[in-house]
């Protein structure tokens, strides 16, 4: 009886064990089937150098999985004396375009052809100073000296120029787009200060409510040499109002430092406009956007005089802003002070002088007009000086469109333009 019971137990154990094995085998088979049925479909991106050369020509991409195209550098794409623009599905560029490293999602194989642009036709950034010929005219007359140095968007794009949206370069805070004329362009949402403003081509500048975008041609910045002995350096002032929409400071509220020092809204050292001119740890400014790294190395770090004496005109006719003068600063890019902007040896007229022919008049560029700059027909625009105004903690000195520098203005105003100054070693 015991033997029979043991046999039954063994038989049951065997059946349960067999069933268990059978269930495990079915489970593994199902997993293998599911794995096979769910295996991703892979497509191939084939890169064609289209006249150039490649060290790698293919990239595998899973179906419907967002994937970045292999970068041009990783593909080893080169073409002597040419610059890569973008990829296109047609060799002549008439198909769909893809930027270098653009993210794609595929449902079929894809062939991309490199699009190239001859280097001889592409704009070169001005990393060194180009002195202009004697007798060159400018805001200071033909007896002054002028030069080109650095680059900035200025003139509105001509109608016959097409933009390669996928061909871009980063310059400081700007993304520049290459035009089919070989020049670079900055894209900007128009923000006219007033209706009726027009660009140099006669077209109207749209106000912000229109949500209109325009392209502006990157061109060399023209500077006037004010003196060759600014503490032993060459002092340059931009010939035009290059941009606006940058307040001197964005609030009328005072601030306090950790030591309890009160910082007034017209304090240049802690101003928004100084941060814009030189950039910050987290934000590229005019310095990084207008000049290549090699050009920046040519710009001297200047000890900028922000004393009370700098806040009056060169003849000391205006009241000094003694209560609001701030500490001196060390900057590569700065604004002129009231005193500097009225110094006769620099070529400037007296502080109260105004009218056509005034040497302080600065014309607004098309790009500045698109950035909220005020402009006056027959004259120029407003532009900031770094000096605080004596009459109120929230006012700073500025140059009127007629050239007069007698007054102060609310630091929050964004229609006042920017005319940078710098020193060369």
């Amino acid at each position: 009886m015991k033997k029979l019971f043991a046999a039954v137990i063994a038989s049951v154990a065997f059946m349960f064990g067999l069933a268990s094995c059978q269930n495990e085998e079915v489970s593994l088979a199902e997993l293998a089937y599911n794995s096979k049925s769910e295996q991703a479909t892979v497509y191939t991106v084939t890169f064609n150098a289209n006249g150039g050369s490649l060290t790698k020509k293919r990239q595998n991409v899973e179906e419907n999985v967002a994937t970045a195209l292999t970068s041009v550098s990783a593909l080893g794409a080169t073409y002597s004396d040419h610059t890569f623009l973008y990829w296109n599905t047609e060799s002549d560029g008439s198909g769909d375009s893809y930027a270098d490293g653009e993210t794609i999602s595929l449902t079929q194989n894809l062939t991309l052809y490199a699009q190239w642009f001859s280097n001889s036709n592409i704009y070169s950034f001005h990393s060194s100073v180009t002195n202009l010929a004697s007798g060159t005219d400018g805001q200071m007359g033909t007896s002054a000296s002028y030069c080109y140095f650095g680059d900035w968007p200025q003139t509105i794009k001509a109608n016959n120029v097409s933009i390669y949206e996928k061909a871009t370069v980063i310059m400081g805070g700007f993304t520049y787009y290459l035009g089919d004329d070989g020049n670079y362009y900055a894209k900007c949402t128009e923000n006219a200060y007033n209706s009726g403003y027009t660009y140099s081509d006669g077209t109207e500048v749209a106000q912000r409510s229109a949500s209109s975008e325009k392209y502006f041609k990157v061109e060399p910045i023209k500077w006037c040499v004010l003196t060759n002995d600014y503490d032993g350096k060459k002092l340059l002032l931009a010939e035009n109002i290059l941009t606006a929409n940058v307040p001197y400071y964005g609030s009328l509220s005072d601030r306090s430092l950790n030591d309890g020092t009160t910082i007034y809204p017209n304090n240049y050292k802690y101003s928004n406009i100084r941060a814009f001119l030189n950039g910050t740890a987290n934000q590229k400014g005019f310095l990084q956007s207008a000049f290549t790294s090699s050009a920046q190395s040519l710009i001297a770090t200047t000890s900028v005089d922000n004393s009370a004496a700098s806040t009056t005109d060169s003849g000391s006719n205006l009241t000094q802003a003694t209560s609001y003068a701030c500490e001196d600063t060390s900057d590569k890019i700065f604004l002129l002070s009231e005193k500097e902007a009225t110094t006769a040896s620099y070529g400037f007229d007296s502080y109260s002088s105004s009218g056509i022919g005034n040497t302080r008049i600065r014309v607004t560029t098309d790009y500045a007009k698109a950035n909220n700059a005020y402009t006056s027909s027959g004259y120029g625009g407003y532009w900031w000086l770094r000096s605080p105004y004596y009459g109120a903690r929230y006012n700073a000195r500025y140059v009127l469109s007629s050239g007069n520098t007698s007054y102060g203005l609310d630091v929050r105003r964004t229609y006042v333009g920017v005319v940078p100054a710098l020193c060369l070693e």
Side-chain angles (χ1 to χ4, degrees), residues 50 86-97 113 115 164:
N50 203 17
Y86 52 86
W87 298 104
N88 196 274
T89 53
E90 300 294 336
S91 60
D92 62 359
S94 62
D96 296 328
S97 297
Y113 297 86
Q115 303 298 305
Y164 298 123

Side-chain angles (χ1 to χ4, degrees), residues 106-326:
L106 296 183
T107 56
Q108 60 184 10
N109 293 327
L110 178 67
T111 298
L112 296 176
Y113 297 86
Q115 303 298 305
W116 306 93
F117 202 96
S118 173
N119 288 342
S120 62
N121 297 324
I122 291 182
Y123 180 85
S124 296
F125 291 103
H126 291 71
S127 295
S128 60
V129 179
T130 302
N131 293 312
L132 301 182
S134 177
T136 296
D137 200 8
Q139 299 299 331
M140 309 291 278
T142 56
S143 61
S145 297
Y146 302 93
C147 64
Y148 286 139
F149 183 45
D151 309 88
W152 192 259
Q154 296 177 63
T155 306
I156 191 164
K157 179 184 73 66
N159 285 332
N160 62 347
V161 174
S162 297
I163 299 294
Y164 298 123
E165 287 280 351
K166 301 292 184 179
T168 62
V169 296
I170 303 299
M171 186 71 171
F174 281 122
T175 296
Y176 288 151
Y177 301 83
L178 187 66
D180 63 2
D181 60 348
N183 288 300
Y184 287 110
Y185 292 83
K187 185 190 295 186
C188 174
T189 300
E190 295 178 279
N191 182 21
Y193 172 70
N194 242 332
S195 60
Y197 279 19
T198 57
Y199 293 120
S200 56
D201 65 358
T203 60
E204 187 169 356
V205 186
Q207 294 183 288
R208 180 170 290 279
S209 58
S211 298
S212 172
E213 291 183 330
K214 288 289 193 300
Y215 290 94
F216 297 86
K217 185 179 178 180
V218 177
E219 299 168 286
I221 302 172
K222 184 179 179 181
W223 304 84
C224 178
V225 181
L226 299 185
T227 178
N228 288 307
D229 188 17
Y230 188 85
D231 290 333
K233 306 178 185 71
K234 183 178 290 189
L235 175 62
L236 308 184
L237 180 70
E239 269 288 279
N240 295 295
I241 295 173
L242 296 177
T243 191
N245 207 29
V246 183
Y248 188 99
Y249 185 64
S251 171
L252 299 183
S253 299
D254 297 340
R255 293 157 286 166
S256 295
L257 299 181
N258 291 335
D259 63 4
T261 302
T262 298
I263 303 299
Y264 298 113
N266 60 5
N267 183 302
Y268 180 69
K269 181 177 181 179
Y270 294 98
S271 66
N272 291 137
I273 200 162
R274 178 173 175 252
F276 164 76
L277 290 172
N278 293 279
T280 66
N282 300 316
Q283 187 72 42
K284 304 292 186 183
F286 177 82
L287 174 65
Q288 297 81 18
S289 302
F291 303 100
T292 63
S293 57
S294 57
Q296 291 177 44
S297 68
L298 301 179
I299 302 173
T301 298
T302 300
S303 178
V304 179
D305 177 16
N306 296 314
S307 66
S310 73
T311 67
T312 184
D313 66 291
S314 61
S316 299
N317 297 289
L318 299 172
T319 303
Q320 293 185 12
T322 305
S323 300
Y324 308 120
C326 69

